[in-house]
Amino acid sequence: MKLFSRILLTISFLVLVHAAFSQAKRKVEDLSDEEIATFFERAQSSGMTEAQLEKAAKAQGYTSADIAKMRSRLTQLGDSKTKEKTSTTKGKTSSKRVVSGKLSTKKGAKNVDDEDTEDVAMEDEEMVDSTKLPKKVIYGANLFNNKKLNFEPDLRIATPVNYTLGPDDELNIDIFGEVMDNYTVTVSPEGTIKILNLSPIYVNGLTVEAASARIVSRLRQLYQGLNRPGSGSSAIITLGNVRSIKVTLVGEVENPGSYTISSLATVFNALYLAGGPNENGSYRSIRVIRNNKVVRTLDLYDFLLKADQKDNIQLKDQDIIRVGDFDSHVELAGEVRRPMVFEAVKGETLKDILRYAGGFTDKAYTYSLNVRRNTSRELKLLNITQDEVATFQPQNGDSISVGRIIERYENRVTVTGAVFRPGIFAIESGLTTVKDLIKRAEGPRENAFLNRATISRRKENYDPEMISFDLGKVLRGELADIALHREDSLTVYSLDSLRENQRVSIYGEVNKPGIFEYRAGMKVADLILLAKGFKEAASYAKIELSRRVITHGNDDATKEKIQVKTFDIDGSLNINNEASQFELKPFDIISIRRSPNYEVQRGVTIEGLVNFPGRYAIPKDDQKISDLIFEAGGLKPEGYLDGAILYRDSTVVGVKLSEVLKNPASKNNLLLMENDRLVIPRILETVKLSGGVQNPIAIAYVEGYTLQDYLDGAGGFTDYADKKNVYVKAPNGISTKRRRVLFFRVNPKVVPGSEIVVPEFPTNMKKGLTTAEAVGLSSALVSVALTLTTLINNLTK
């Protein structure tokens, strides 16, 4: 019975671990919030520590990067739930970043319930003290409180030059050219990577560039001449998923503690995760400590003001970031571009603080600034003149107010519209009337509408007023001149502004189609010249002109509203041609058709082992693959027909070239299309096996070998091989599946360069029992035990 109890206990433990991590089999970013919450509840209810859960997850095949992503999702979920709670407490919303208990990626974070209790207590306090002022904004705080900003490291950027590899880093090895292959390898805890049929390669501590050179050197044992000129095969090695590191943030930060982050993360990434400096924290003195030494001191103002990231260094494992206390806070209010609280360091003057605030606005009263200062007993007011700004040194707690100038003119008038020099003028000696103002504006333009002008004016009670008059009569002296008042605005209208802009359009086979300004006397040929002439494909026959039928009365609605005229034109646009001289009207539209028999040249490319590779024209619509091979002088002796591939619109088209050459009437003899590319490779001498075989390998091709012979050469099937769905992928891209005909199994043909693919069953069938299956197995074992007990009892009676 003790043995039976141990078996049940072991099964229950495995079920628990599997249930806690089963959802990580999908990508973490694809999981819903409900699935994340369910995972966390199961993990908590297990009673296992964080280290035990992490160890169990790694035993199931998950990487440290997967665990870090899950922690990040749990933190985000905790933040969102906390916001929902605080938003329901009397309409109060907290802008503070809250990270709850075990959902946090840091150590020692407050529990969500405790945080809510504090918020309620603060709210009650605010209700009692109704005179409490709103919290002042510290310059730079929005950088960490703005949820629209994302300081997560970009994992899609090019690998940094100085990035060094370490355990859990992932490398992608792509081999292309005459040989195509790829590997995805992970750096082991010992600092090595393992590639099929090669001994471990040590890459720990190397840059990606240095590691690439070492890996390519070893790969030449499998791929002769790799990355050497003339070899025909190349390899590119890039960084895939990166490892995670741990850093600690201490001092005056919103959420101090230890964080698990990407190894590509910088100081800014870590500060953002921790919520940035708190209300007592310094933005000017942030230290990065590595191996008990300060390696960099950051001043965030350099980034905020100049986007200078010279101190935003990449972090390393076990780095410590310490945010110190601020030296002094100075508030700028009023007419500055950024009115808020700024941190000042020793030696900085009011001129420096104004620079952080972006300077004065254009409405600022800069003659004198008011400074409110806290003394040991009471407040003190200081007046700082413009000359003292560069030398005045603010103290901690100073509040500086910048006033606003009075927006008022005592003698301003304005003239706009159809005059030669519109603008603002001063009422002074020699400029007191409308006639004086028009003269100062250098008179009305030729297109001025003189029958009516207007003056916008304010009455003594400041109500708006408009005065209309005949400007032509005033200028000719036929009407009395009008005296100007302060802030009068005279508008002279133009004839163009009182009518629709007149345009003509041309479309179709011209070099510059579009809309052009209409000019009186413009002809069809003139518009074609403005459009830079005909294109080569243009047809000179049946050029179409469409024209509006304009009426200003109540005509019959059934009458023609658009007139259409078609005509032939002389391509030389000869002035004597009647159609070229056809006069246009405003809003006419010309359409130039395309010649029905015009067609641009089309071409295809043939590459590889033919006698004359290159690009060839398609002289007629029925040109086929066999015609292209004939034009290219046929194949070279080493050309491999069964490996030929046709590329069309970035898609591989499987063709049976040997059948095409034997029988040009074959359906595989496809019609050629523009930019087709036919590639004839060299004869391949291997057969590759992948998937569910004991030893995935490339085997030399042997004439007469069957599919089973090659499978035997790879050690046969694995326990999880899907034997019924084995297929062979030919070099030309065509795949053939193993099938049955009556009672006989028909195997696909294996040719040189083929790949034999053995599919494997789904991952959950390989890794072990699912949660439901494990629970079912436990129930079955209990049922069997009870049945055996009942049977024994019956036999002993």
Side-chain angles (χ1 to χ4, degrees):
M1 291 300 292
K2 291 184 177 179
L3 178 60
F4 184 74
S5 300
R6 289 181 181 177
I7 293 173
L8 287 180
L9 182 61
T10 303
I11 291 174
S12 300
F13 179 76
L14 292 175
V15 169
L16 179 62
V17 173
H18 187 81
F21 290 99
S22 59
Q23 299 194 48
K25 289 180 180 179
R26 304 210 318 267
K27 290 184 178 180
V28 175
E29 52 268 25
D30 293 339
L31 295 176
S32 67
D33 289 344
E34 291 76 12
E35 291 173 317
I36 293 291
T38 301
F39 158 76
F40 180 63
E41 290 171 1
R42 290 177 177 175
Q44 278 189 319
S45 63
S46 69
M48 298 171 65
T49 65
E50 181 180 348
Q52 290 173 331
L53 287 172
E54 183 173 340
K55 186 176 181 180
K58 289 184 176 179
Q60 293 289 327
Y62 304 103
T63 65
S64 298
D66 294 331
I67 297 171
K69 290 179 182 178
M70 178 63 78
R71 283 173 171 163
S72 178
R73 285 292 305 276
L74 290 171
T75 301
Q76 295 172 9
L77 183 59
D79 287 345
S80 63
K81 288 187 176 181
T82 301
K83 289 178 182 177
E84 291 175 3
K85 290 183 180 180
T86 55
S87 64
T88 59
T89 58
K90 302 182 181 180
K92 179 177 180 293
T93 307
S94 173
S95 63
K96 183 177 179 182
R97 185 180 299 223
V98 179
V99 183
S100 62
K102 294 182 181 178
L103 291 178
S104 173
T105 59
K106 64 183 185 59
K107 299 177 182 176
K110 291 183 179 179
N111 187 276
V112 174
D113 295 335
D114 297 337
E115 195 72 34
D116 289 344
T117 304
E118 291 180 9
D119 288 344
V120 173
M122 290 173 63
E123 183 178 345
D124 292 339
E125 183 181 344
E126 289 177 359
M127 292 177 63
V128 174
D129 186 6
S130 60
T131 62
K132 187 176 180 180
L133 296 176
K135 188 176 180 180
K136 296 175 182 178
V137 178
I138 300 175
Y139 179 58
N142 288 338
L143 186 68
F144 302 100
N145 294 332
N146 190 347
K147 301 304 180 185
K148 294 182 180 180
L149 293 177
N150 185 357
F151 275 87
E152 293 181 0
D154 188 355
L155 301 181
R156 296 176 297 175
I157 62 173
T159 306
V161 176
N162 60 346
Y163 183 84
T164 57
L165 296 174
D168 289 338
D169 277 337
E170 184 180 88
L171 293 175
N172 296 322
I173 306 172
D174 293 306
I175 302 172
F176 55 92
E178 293 185 0
V179 179
M180 300 183 69
D181 212 337
N182 62 77
Y183 302 93
T184 300
V185 295
T186 303
V187 181
S188 70
E190 292 76 24
T192 64
I193 62 171
K194 181 67 175 68
I195 299 176
L196 183 67
N197 298 326
L198 292 178
S199 60
I201 305 173
Y202 188 79
V203 295
N204 186 51
L206 298 180
T207 64
V208 175
E209 183 179 2
S212 297
R214 180 173 294 183
I215 293 169
V216 169
S217 176
R218 296 290 293 277
L219 282 173
R220 291 191 181 117
Q221 298 178 17
L222 300 178
Y223 307 95
Q224 187 174 6
L226 188 65
N227 276 16
R228 288 176 176 166
S231 67
S233 59
S234 302
I236 293 179
I237 301 172
T238 57
L239 185 65
N241 292 330
V242 296
R243 66 184 184 275
S244 298
I245 60 175
K246 283 193 176 183
V247 297
T248 303
L249 288 97
V250 296
E252 298 299 329
V253 291
E254 288 287 349
N255 300 296
S258 295
Y259 290 81
T260 300
I261 58 178
S262 165
S263 58
L264 291 177
T266 63
V267 182
F268 283 1
N269 304 141
L271 284 171
Y272 184 76
L273 284 175
N278 60 25
E279 59 184 10
N280 295 322
S282 171
Y283 288 76
R284 314 291 303 275
S285 179
I286 300 174
R287 294 179 173 85
V288 180
I289 302 171
R290 184 175 297 159
N291 297 326
N292 294 324
K293 293 182 180 179
V294 176
V295 295
R296 194 64 59 95
T297 300
L298 278 78
D299 186 340
L300 285 179
Y301 279 23
D302 290 339
F303 172 71
L304 295 171
L305 295 170
K306 301 179 291 185
D308 185 352
Q309 297 195 61
K310 67 178 184 301
D311 294 324
N312 185 25
I313 61 174
Q314 185 175 327
L315 295 173
K316 293 187 177 181
D317 194 33
Q318 304 304 321
D319 276 357
I320 298 175
I321 301 173
R322 187 183 185 281
V323 179
D325 298 305
F326 70 84
D327 188 16
S328 64
H329 275 175
V330 178
E331 181 184 9
L332 276 180
E335 292 301 318
V336 290
R337 290 178 179 154
R338 287 189 289 272
M340 53 183 64
V341 176
F342 298 89
E343 182 180 349
V345 297
K346 186 176 181 180
E348 288 186 333
T349 65
L350 179 55
K351 183 177 180 180
D352 298 316
I353 307 301
L354 284 169
R355 179 168 57 87
Y356 301 151
F360 299 111
T361 67
D362 55 353
K363 303 296 183 182
Y365 178 71
T366 61
Y367 185 77
S368 177
L369 308 181
N370 294 328
V371 179
R372 188 187 68 186
R373 174 168 291 175
N374 301 323
T375 67
S376 59
R377 298 183 58 187
E378 54 191 358
L379 296 176
K380 180 180 180 180
L381 185 65
L382 303 174
N383 291 324
I384 307 300
T385 64
Q386 193 170 8
D387 296 334
E388 296 173 326
V389 168
T391 57
F392 179 77
Q393 292 189 354
Q395 296 182 7
N396 184 31
D398 279 358
S399 179
I400 303 168
S401 178
V402 181
R404 186 182 181 92
I405 61 173
I406 301 174
E407 294 190 17
R408 181 169 179 170
Y409 293 89
E410 63 180 21
N411 63 341
R412 181 179 69 173
V413 290
T414 305
V415 59
T416 59
V419 293
F420 282 103
R421 194 175 293 280
I424 299 173
F425 298 89
I427 297 176
E428 55 189 3
S429 177
L431 199 164
T432 59
T433 65
V434 168
K435 199 170 183 178
D436 296 335
L437 181 58
I438 294 294
K439 182 179 180 181
R440 184 68 62 88
E442 298 187 7
R445 294 202 305 262
E446 294 83 355
N447 64 339
F449 179 70
L450 300 180
N451 293 345
R452 195 177 191 88
T454 60
I455 295 176
S456 295
R457 176 175 292 174
R458 292 281 180 177
K459 296 181 180 180
E460 291 188 6
N461 63 356
Y462 216 65
D463 284 345
E465 178 185 22
M466 179 170 282
I467 302 171
S468 304
F469 59 95
D470 190 322
L471 180 60
K473 289 183 178 181
V474 169
L475 295 179
R476 292 191 297 270
E478 299 174 8
L479 283 179
D481 205 353
I482 301 173
L484 295 174
H485 293 183
R486 178 175 62 87
E487 299 293 358
D488 276 357
S489 179
L490 172 62
T491 302
V492 180
Y493 298 94
S494 67
L495 294 173
D496 295 337
S497 66
L498 301 177
R499 68 186 180 191
E500 184 180 358
N501 290 334
Q502 296 182 336
R503 299 285 188 265
V504 289
S505 307
I506 183 168
Y507 300 103
E509 297 300 318
V510 288
N511 290 306
K512 186 184 176 183
I515 301 173
F516 297 87
E517 181 183 4
Y518 170 77
R519 300 172 185 174
M522 180 180 285
K523 309 295 193 302
V524 170
D526 299 328
L527 181 56
I528 294 173
L529 289 175
L530 288 174
K532 306 299 182 183
F534 293 111
K535 287 185 177 180
E536 189 180 50
S539 171
Y540 303 146
K542 296 188 180 302
I543 292 178
E544 179 185 278
L545 180 145
S546 61
R547 174 172 292 172
R548 299 179 183 178
V549 177
I550 302 174
T551 61
H552 299 288
N554 297 322
D555 293 341
D556 186 356
T558 61
K559 287 186 177 180
E560 184 182 48
K561 297 179 177 58
I562 300 294
Q563 291 180 350
V564 178
K565 177 180 176 60
T566 59
F567 46 82
D568 298 343
I569 197 168
D570 184 355
S572 64
L573 302 179
N574 194 307
I575 200 72
N576 296 322
N577 182 260
E578 181 180 354
S580 297
Q581 293 301 106
F582 189 85
E583 188 167 333
L584 298 174
K585 290 185 177 181
F587 313 112
D588 279 355
I589 298 177
I590 298 291
S591 298
I592 311 296
R593 311 297 185 198
R594 187 182 181 91
S595 178
N597 296 323
Y598 182 84
E599 185 174 338
V600 297
Q601 299 94 325
R602 296 176 297 159
V604 295
T605 303
I606 184 169
E607 301 174 0
L609 298 178
V610 292
N611 287 311
F612 301 101
R615 184 173 176 84
Y616 290 83
I618 303 177
K620 52 186 179 179
D621 292 338
D622 60 352
Q623 196 83 354
K624 295 189 175 183
I625 294 176
S626 58
D627 300 322
L628 175 61
I629 296 174
F630 177 78
E631 290 292 330
L635 274 66
K636 291 183 177 180
E638 61 271 26
Y640 188 32
L641 289 175
D642 290 333
I645 299 177
L646 177 66
Y647 294 94
R648 176 173 291 173
D649 295 331
S650 302
T651 302
V652 176
V653 180
V655 294
K656 298 179 180 179
L657 201 57
S658 56
E659 181 180 326
V660 167
L661 296 182
K662 291 178 182 177
N663 180 18
S666 168
K667 293 182 179 179
N668 281 281
N669 195 12
L670 303 176
L671 291 171
L672 295 175
M673 296 181 64
E674 170 73 6
N675 293 326
D676 276 356
R677 184 164 66 95
L678 181 63
V679 179
I680 312 296
R682 187 181 301 275
I683 293 176
L684 301 176
E685 298 178 344
T686 60
V687 174
K688 182 179 178 182
L689 292 99
S690 61
V693 291
Q694 297 289 351
N695 183 25
I697 194 173
I699 300 175
Y701 173 78
V702 178
E703 184 70 29
Y705 262 31
T706 65
L707 175 65
Q708 190 60 48
D709 292 330
Y710 290 108
L711 289 171
D712 292 341
F717 296 111
T718 64
D719 292 340
Y720 309 108
D722 187 357
K723 303 174 184 178
K724 294 182 179 179
N725 292 307
V726 175
Y727 64 92
V728 176
K729 184 165 69 176
N732 60 4
I734 299 176
S735 296
T736 308
K737 185 179 177 182
R738 173 189 277 186
R739 56 194 177 89
R740 284 185 177 275
V741 178
L742 296 178
F743 300 103
F744 300 97
R745 176 182 291 166
V746 179
N747 289 323
K749 183 180 179 181
V750 180
V751 298
S754 297
E755 179 181 0
I756 300 172
V757 182
V758 181
E760 293 185 283
F761 287 110
T763 305
N764 62 343
M765 299 180 68
K766 292 174 57 180
K767 295 268 182 169
L769 297 176
T770 63
T771 303
E773 290 169 341
V775 172
L777 178 58
S778 299
S779 300
L781 289 172
V782 173
S783 179
V784 169
L786 292 175
T787 302
L788 289 173
T789 302
T790 302
L791 180 60
I792 292 170
N793 290 334
N794 290 335
L795 291 174
T796 57
K797 285 182 180 181

